Amino acid sequence: MTNAYDMGRRQSATVGDSLERQGITRRAFLQYCASIASLMALPAGAAEQLATALAKARRPSVIWLSFQECTGCTESLARAHNPSLESLIFDLISLDYHHTLQAASGEAAEAARDAAMKENAGKYLVVVDGSVPLGNPGYSTIAGIANIDVLRETARDAAAILAVGTCAAYGGLPAAQPNPTGAVAISTLIKDKPIVNIPGCPPIPNVMTGVIAHYLAFGALPELDGLGRPRAFYGETIHDRCYRRPFYDQGKFAETFDDEGARQGWCLFKLGCKGPVAYNACATAKWNGGVSFPIQSGHGCIGCSEPNFWDAGSLYSALSMPASPVTLGAAAAAAGAAAGVAVTFFNRRKKAAAKAGHETTTLDDLEK
Amino acid sequence: MSASLDKGVRVLKEMIDAPIASYFSSCVHCGICAEACLFYTETSDPKFTPIHKVEPMRRIWQQEYTLLGRLAKLVGLAKPVTDEELGKWKELVYDSCTFCGRCSAVCPVGNDIVYMVRKMREGMSAAGHAPEGLKGAVTRTINIGSPMGVKLPAVKAQMKHVEADYGIPIPLDQEGAEYLVTLSSMEIINFPEYLGAIAKIMRHVGKTWTLSSEAFEATNAGMQIGNSDLARVIVARVVAGAEKLKVKTVISPECGHAYTALRWEGANLIGRPFTFKVQHIVEVLDEFRAAGLLKTEGMETDRLSFHDPCQLARRGGVIQPQRNLMKMVAKEFVEMPEAGYMNWCCGGGGGASSIEEGEYLRIEAFQVKKRQLDAVKPDRLVTACANCRIVLEEGLEHYKMNLPVVGLTETIAEHIPDPE
Amino acid sequence: MDQLQFLTWVRGPGLNLALLVFVLGVLWRLIEIYGLGRKTDLSAPRHVPGASGWATIARRSLPAPGLLKSSPVTYIGGYIFHVGLAVVVFLFAPHVALVDALVGVTWPALPSQVIDFATVVTMVAMVAVLVDRHVKWAKRFLSTFGDWFAWLLTFLPLLTGWLAVQHLLLPYTLMLALHILSVELLLVCLPFTKLFHAFTSFGSRWFNGTMNGHKGVPV
């Protein structure tokens, strides 16, 4: 990994140099570029251009901050099933600080962060996983420094921030009701830097590296949607691209996880699949080196890349399903009947009064 | 001299019932009732849309009998019904509605609109907004005995004429007769041939019958003006007469609304079921025919058509009997388009013909009748309502159509063979 | 509130609230209307086959003789949009699934393509009746704010549902939420607008049929 000592050497290298030194073949690199290009729906031939641009790009300094998180996002990246591709991330960047991965510890670790910030002021990228607690600064600290302070300090001279994972992007699990730590998303705290949200629990490794590759190759962050996500990866719902979609259109649904429909691979909508409301690339990029994704293994999408998905009702009740209407319906019926009976009581009294007030009309009474 | 808005509103509150509340709740403003109303189709004036004619009653229902409407009224959001407004509605509730009931027959959500107009008239008359013509008719009926001012001596004089002309005695106040024959004053004054025809037919079928000196008039201007109290006074005369003479059946004359007043409203007006049967003369004749009592000879050779009085057919359920009778005597019987259940009104029913200021409307509305007649071009038009007959004659004259209108009963009577 | 929170609200508390108001409103209004009662008819009835309230409930679904010609848009447009609404509301798979989840009753659904077609046809018919309301004299004269509002209440669920399924205009999550919200709006308003004819037209037909049936007229 990296340390303060050899940081300077690494800074000077281009991506191409680094690849060469690591013994990565051009073929493997091109394969990686092709997968990123297809994921971002770039036109044909773009992979070659991407590879050329990437090889020439200078490796940026990256400071990785982990706050209230589970390290799943790092795991997603570091322990990818097929390390030869996704682990390329570590050859694209100069990872100067990551408290889980770095060898250095204690003061040396923090010194590495300081050094990287000073040397690359205005140019380094900050990757954040995890949310920041606002309830009490002591809830989460690194080297005795509250998360919020680390974030503010590190973000000050950053070129951009990548909020990786649903916690960093939207608050995630720590922010789920009742949100005991007062957890907030990175974008809540930092307003003056470009922030790319890469939500998911965890995000797809290729999407994380793809954003960095885009930044390196094109010198700019990708186009974002209203929720700060790169459109290239989060432009469509899982449902849109799901291979089980035809079954949905035909109205063929698995009713339980072990029925004939489930065995036939029918749509999991009724079992609570959140595919229709989850914007992510799982159905196309897939996981574990393109092997599968949750729906393919027979479980509905839980919509983990959507804001507040933890609080969006049961993972296993269908999207069109309300919470608990039957008891309420009975109560409403009783209340409605009571209201109707009450109105009728007064209506009948009023009508009876009108009748009692009837004066038999004579011919004279036809005139005013 | 006590009619007032308050009284009108009170009466409407008394009138509004579940059907009316249901009808108002169901209306979707589709406008189909307008297409069924001859006053709309012939004038294209949307204010004659039937459901619009009861708009003030709708607001009273809403403001008095719905929770939301009451709340709106409480906070001053409801538009109250004013006397001036009811004054404006007179033309809609009286002049341009003949109770023909085509709107009630077509409404897709099932609203019986004419039922509502009938109730609306109760409020209108109590509020002093009944037309002068109808007030006159009801005053004459209550005070003199008939809307045209006919008194018993006039009836007796007519009886004498008929006895002389037909050579058949006309029974009066004959207790225990099977049938009590009632008349409309129109028949007493304009169409005495009706009485002669009855006499001839009754002798032919061998049934006992009688006129009543206190129940000769069957029409009910009280019902037309929409006042149950007055309508009750008038219908009670017929009930008293029938019960006094212990007849089995009261025969309603060739008059549509008299049939409705006796057959359907009567028992409800007096508050108890009748002890006798009420039948329209056309029903009675058809019964005689079916029983083989009525035998006619010879046929009319000219082209005849039949105009169904609304109260008899659409609102009264008598549609086939008149056709059976027509076929007995007409070689060439042609049906007008939409004849029978959906026949178009003459334009003067429901008391409208007594409203002078509504005459221009009746003439306009008659165009639909003209189209119906032009479609089949009969030589003569038969009907079973003296009021239809008068209104038709007026319309035909205005449009310079040379088409005689005759009563069905007299047409049948002409084919009764003379006794041996 | 983000899109998913919005969707969560509309299909959770929102739907509960809407169903509550709907059920409460329907019962209250039905009792308020029919609780007024009516007098028994003392006249002697005439019995004719087919002259009854029940027969009229069925018969009034057909156009009255001669009226199809004078109100073609009202009738044809009305049929298409009522039938279309029923098809879309009751035969779309997610809707069937919803009812199944709510009350445990299920029935076969139609393929999405058929529903899609029915939705478009229904919307076209609704636009036609709207134009007709504007153009046709008597209809325009009768029209109040309530008529235009009721049209919108009925149209919005169709439009938002269709847009959601087609993934047009807005992200699916937001569109689905708006669709459910528009249905909730419809449910809340139905008992208190002319849309209540969905319930009372049966009562009205029955009253008309039974009162005229008493006279032996099969209206």
Side-chain angles (χ1 to χ4, degrees):
Chain A
M1 290 295 125
T2 185
N3 58 45
Y5 172 75
D6 63 6
M7 191 179 65
R9 184 178 58 80
R10 287 192 157 223
Q11 274 314 115
S12 63
T14 62
V15 172
D17 297 339
S18 167
L19 289 170
E20 214 172 303
R21 203 174 47 250
Q22 301 281 320
I24 305 278
T25 62
R26 178 159 172 79
R27 187 184 147 81
F29 182 57
L30 265 179
Q31 203 186 335
Y32 167 74
C33 290
S35 79
I36 294 291
S38 95
L39 199 51
M40 294 174 73
L42 296 175
E48 188 74 29
Q49 285 170 24
L50 188 67
T52 313
L54 269 182
K56 283 186 193 154
R58 291 184 64 81
R59 296 166 66 232
S61 167
V62 170
I63 297 173
W64 187 303
L65 303 175
S66 297
F67 300 141
Q68 294 193 122
E69 46 84 49
C70 66
T71 317
C73 299
T74 300
E75 290 287 312
S76 168
L77 201 54
R79 290 192 191 238
H81 183 73
N82 181 352
S84 68
L85 289 183
E86 283 85 353
S87 66
L88 277 170
I89 178 73
F90 300 113
D91 300 302
L92 297 178
I93 59 170
S94 166
L95 188 56
D96 293 332
Y97 178 87
H98 188 307
H99 69 203
T100 308
L101 300 178
Q102 69 196 142
S105 62
E107 282 171 12
E110 294 308 302
R113 182 166 65 92
D114 286 341
M117 283 163 58
K118 273 195 198 97
E119 289 200 24
N120 304 292
K123 287 184 285 187
Y124 62 87
L125 292 177
V126 176
V127 177
V128 184
D129 64 340
S131 59
V132 177
L134 296 184
N136 182 327
Y139 283 157
S140 175
T141 64
I142 299 162
I145 313 168
N147 287 169
I148 185 164
D149 297 328
V150 179
L151 177 65
R152 291 230 163 98
E153 187 190 321
T154 314
R156 196 179 308 124
D157 290 324
I161 299 172
L162 310 187
V164 163
T166 304
C167 299
Y170 307 126
L173 179 63
Q177 283 168 16
N179 192 359
T181 63
V184 294
I186 301 310
S187 56
T188 312
L189 299 168
I190 305 296
K191 299 288 184 195
D192 55 350
K193 295 286 171 191
I195 298 176
V196 181
N197 287 333
I198 307 174
C201 194
I204 299 168
N206 262 1
V207 172
M208 292 189 265
T209 60
V211 172
I212 294 174
H214 184 282
Y215 179 68
L216 293 182
F218 304 114
L221 294 170
E223 191 201 345
L224 306 180
D225 68 6
L227 288 170
R229 306 176 290 200
R231 274 189 206 285
F233 303 108
Y234 294 91
E236 287 177 293
T237 63
I238 305 288
H239 188 62
D240 285 336
R241 305 302 299 268
C242 182
Y243 76 103
R244 297 195 188 201
R245 177 61 184 268
F247 294 117
Y248 173 85
D249 290 336
Q250 292 161 25
K252 289 178 173 169
F253 299 100
E255 305 286 340
T256 64
F257 283 109
D258 58 353
D259 70 355
E260 189 53 29
R263 274 188 282 278
Q264 296 289 333
W266 289 354
C267 179
L268 299 168
F269 180 86
K270 288 188 180 179
L271 291 169
C273 181
K274 303 295 182 288
V277 298
Y279 287 81
N280 210 335
C282 302
T284 42
K286 301 200 178 173
W287 289 78
N288 301 327
V291 170
S292 179
F293 74 114
I295 292 173
Q296 199 171 345
S297 359
H299 190 287
C301 168
I302 63 171
C304 73
S305 56
E306 291 299 308
N308 302 301
F309 81 96
W310 291 109
D311 296 331
S314 163
L315 300 183
Y316 298 101
S317 59
L319 264 180
S320 54
M321 166 71 189
S324 63
V326 175
T327 37
L328 277 167
V341 169
V343 178
T344 299
F345 173 74
F346 287 110
N347 279 352
R348 291 202 159 214
R349 235 174 45 169
K350 187 180 268 191
K351 205 175 156 177
K355 213 171 173 179
H358 187 104
E359 302 158 40
T360 305
T361 321
T362 63
L363 286 173
D364 277 351
D365 299 325
L366 292 176
E367 302 290 344
K368 277 195 180 284
Chain B
M1 309 296 154
S2 66
S4 68
L5 175 67
D6 279 354
K7 238 178 157 176
V9 170
R10 191 196 53 70
V11 167
L12 285 175
K13 273 155 73 173
E14 198 183 332
M15 288 299 134
I16 291 165
D17 56 4
I20 290 179
S22 180
Y23 296 156
F24 281 136
S25 304
S26 302
C27 179
V28 292
H29 291 167
C30 72
I32 284 175
C33 55
E35 303 296 337
C37 176
L38 70 171
F39 292 99
Y40 173 76
T41 60
E42 303 315 304
T43 64
S44 295
D45 190 336
K47 74 177 174 187
F48 295 131
T49 303
I51 194 69
H52 180 63
K53 296 172 183 172
V54 289
E55 172 63 16
M57 183 158 77
R58 186 192 68 79
R59 295 219 309 279
I60 288 173
W61 160 70
Q62 198 175 39
Q63 292 163 21
E64 301 293 338
Y65 291 127
T66 73
L67 185 55
L68 288 187
R70 285 168 116 163
L71 290 175
K73 191 182 170 191
L74 214 65
V75 297
L77 281 172
K79 190 177 147 204
V81 172
T82 63
D83 198 50
E84 193 199 347
E85 186 182 10
L86 290 186
K88 259 200 232 159
W89 246 260
K90 177 155 74 175
E91 185 193 15
L92 306 182
V93 179
Y94 288 100
D95 306 13
S96 65
C97 179
T98 62
F99 286 164
C100 88
R102 276 179 59 91
C103 51
S104 299
V106 304
C107 176
V109 295
N111 292 352
D112 192 346
I113 301 170
V114 75
Y115 173 86
M116 295 199 271
V117 177
R118 168 68 185 83
K119 303 270 186 178
M120 176 81 187
R121 284 194 187 179
E122 293 277 344
M124 290 290 279
S125 60
H129 289 295
E132 290 308 316
L134 269 175
K135 280 190 213 168
V138 76
T139 304
R140 285 188 294 277
T141 312
I142 299 278
N143 291 344
I144 304 172
S146 105
M148 295 175 87
V150 178
K151 289 184 185 174
L152 187 62
V155 179
K156 283 187 171 157
Q158 207 51 276
M159 284 165 64
K160 246 181 219 151
H161 278 296
V162 172
E163 280 173 347
D165 287 356
Y166 288 78
I168 309 167
I170 309 287
L172 182 68
D173 293 332
Q174 198 162 304
E175 211 180 297
E178 189 171 354
Y179 293 99
L180 170 65
V181 170
T182 60
L183 303 166
S184 68
S185 29
M186 209 84 86
E187 283 156 341
I188 303 164
I189 295 182
N190 296 332
F191 309 123
E193 55 270 31
Y194 174 75
L195 191 55
I198 292 283
K200 215 173 153 186
I201 292 167
M202 287 300 184
R203 185 181 61 184
H204 171 71
V205 299
K207 295 282 185 186
T208 55
W209 67 290
T210 182
L211 289 180
S212 159
S213 53
E214 54 183 301
F216 58 86
E217 176 65 58
T219 65
N220 195 322
M223 186 190 85
Q224 293 176 326
I225 203 168
N227 190 297
S228 291
D229 291 336
L230 298 174
R232 184 179 307 115
V233 172
I234 299 167
V235 86
R237 292 175 183 163
V238 179
V239 175
E243 288 180 349
K244 192 167 152 194
L245 298 177
K246 303 186 179 70
V247 297
K248 283 203 188 92
T249 301
V250 171
I251 300 179
S252 165
E254 286 201 349
C255 173
H257 89 267
Y259 181 60
T260 292
L262 285 172
R263 178 69 178 88
W264 307 117
E265 285 209 13
N268 295 306
L269 285 168
I270 65 164
R272 61 175 169 88
F274 285 169
T275 51
F276 48 87
K277 219 161 102 179
V278 175
Q279 283 185 303
H280 191 271
I281 180 65
V282 165
E283 289 178 277
V284 176
L285 295 184
D286 192 48
E287 261 181 27
F288 292 162
R289 178 199 62 81
L293 298 171
L294 186 67
K295 294 189 186 75
T296 56
E297 56 175 29
M299 298 289 257
E300 300 289 329
T301 50
D302 53 352
R303 198 172 158 87
L304 298 185
S305 191
F306 189 84
H307 165 80
D308 286 283
C310 306
Q311 299 304 315
L312 184 63
R314 185 165 40 251
R315 302 297 290 177
V318 180
I319 295 177
Q320 197 47 47
Q322 53 266 48
R323 287 172 170 72
N324 297 340
L325 296 167
M326 283 299 287
K327 281 173 196 153
M328 285 180 84
V329 295
K331 212 171 212 164
E332 198 184 354
F333 171 46
V334 287
E335 290 276 26
M336 287 181 279
E338 299 180 88
Y341 176 60
M342 283 304 281
N343 188 42
W344 289 90
C345 179
C346 62
S353 60
S354 324
I355 305 166
E356 214 172 308
E357 57 272 30
E359 196 188 336
Y360 81 98
L361 268 176
R362 289 197 289 283
I363 293 297
E364 284 277 293
F366 192 78
Q367 293 174 84
V368 66
K369 204 72 231 171
K370 182 174 184 297
R371 279 200 302 279
Q372 254 190 313
L373 289 166
D374 287 346
V376 293
K377 294 197 171 44
D379 296 324
R380 259 189 308 158
L381 185 59
V382 186
T383 188
C385 169
N387 184 62
C388 289
R389 202 164 154 183
I390 294 283
V391 176
L392 287 167
E393 280 171 354
E394 280 170 7
L396 290 167
E397 193 187 319
H398 182 271
Y399 289 99
K400 303 197 166 47
M401 295 163 77
N402 187 20
L403 178 67
V405 185
V406 294
L408 178 57
T409 310
E410 68 202 58
T411 309
I412 294 292
E414 277 164 24
H415 292 273
I416 300 287
D418 285 326
E420 298 299 306
Chain C
M1 191 185 264
D2 60 54
Q3 295 177 10
L4 195 60
Q5 272 177 314
F6 179 36
L7 176 63
T8 309
W9 187 86
V10 293
R11 72 190 181 84
L15 189 54
N16 284 342
L17 196 69
L19 283 171
L20 192 127
V21 175
F22 175 75
V23 173
L24 187 144
V26 166
L27 272 157
W28 147 20
R29 293 280 290 126
L30 284 177
I31 297 173
E32 177 179 274
I33 291 164
Y34 296 102
L36 278 169
R38 69 183 176 110
K39 282 187 189 160
T40 37
D41 195 335
L42 299 172
S43 65
R46 185 205 307 277
H47 298 287
V48 166
S52 76
W54 302 109
T56 298
I57 287 180
R59 203 180 296 120
R60 278 298 158 106
S61 299
L62 299 172
L67 268 289
L68 190 58
K69 229 186 226 167
S70 52
S71 298
V73 181
T74 309
Y75 273 116
I76 298 168
Y79 276 123
I80 294 176
F81 102 72
H82 277 94
V83 172
L85 268 181
V87 167
V88 173
V89 170
F90 296 112
L91 297 177
F92 184 39
H95 298 169
V96 176
L98 171 69
V99 175
D100 186 19
L102 280 179
V103 288
V105 181
T106 188
W107 56 86
L110 284 176
S112 304
Q113 289 84 347
V114 177
I115 296 296
D116 189 47
F117 177 73
T119 311
V120 173
V121 169
T122 306
M123 287 195 291
V124 169
M126 282 199 70
V127 170
V129 295
L130 184 75
V131 171
D132 195 51
R133 179 169 289 288
H134 187 75
V135 173
K136 212 160 181 184
W137 224 347
K139 251 168 132 174
R140 188 175 173 170
F141 176 79
L142 288 176
S143 298
T144 60
F145 169 77
D147 293 296
W148 310 107
F149 182 62
W151 183 91
L152 193 69
L153 281 178
T154 316
F155 191 74
L156 280 181
L158 277 170
L159 181 69
T160 52
W162 185 76
L163 288 174
V165 172
Q166 298 296 320
H167 290 228
L168 293 172
L169 219 62
L170 292 173
Y172 179 80
T173 311
L174 184 58
M175 200 49 101
L176 178 65
L178 286 175
H179 171 63
I180 299 175
L181 186 71
S182 67
V183 173
E184 287 163 7
L185 209 61
L186 176 75
L187 285 174
V188 167
C189 294
L190 191 140
F192 310 105
T193 59
K194 72 164 184 177
L195 296 173
F196 202 51
H197 78 275
F199 289 85
T200 54
S201 61
F202 298 99
S204 297
R205 288 178 181 185
W206 187 84
F207 275 136
N208 192 347
T210 210
M211 290 192 295
N212 284 289
H214 181 89
K215 306 194 221 172
V217 190
V219 290

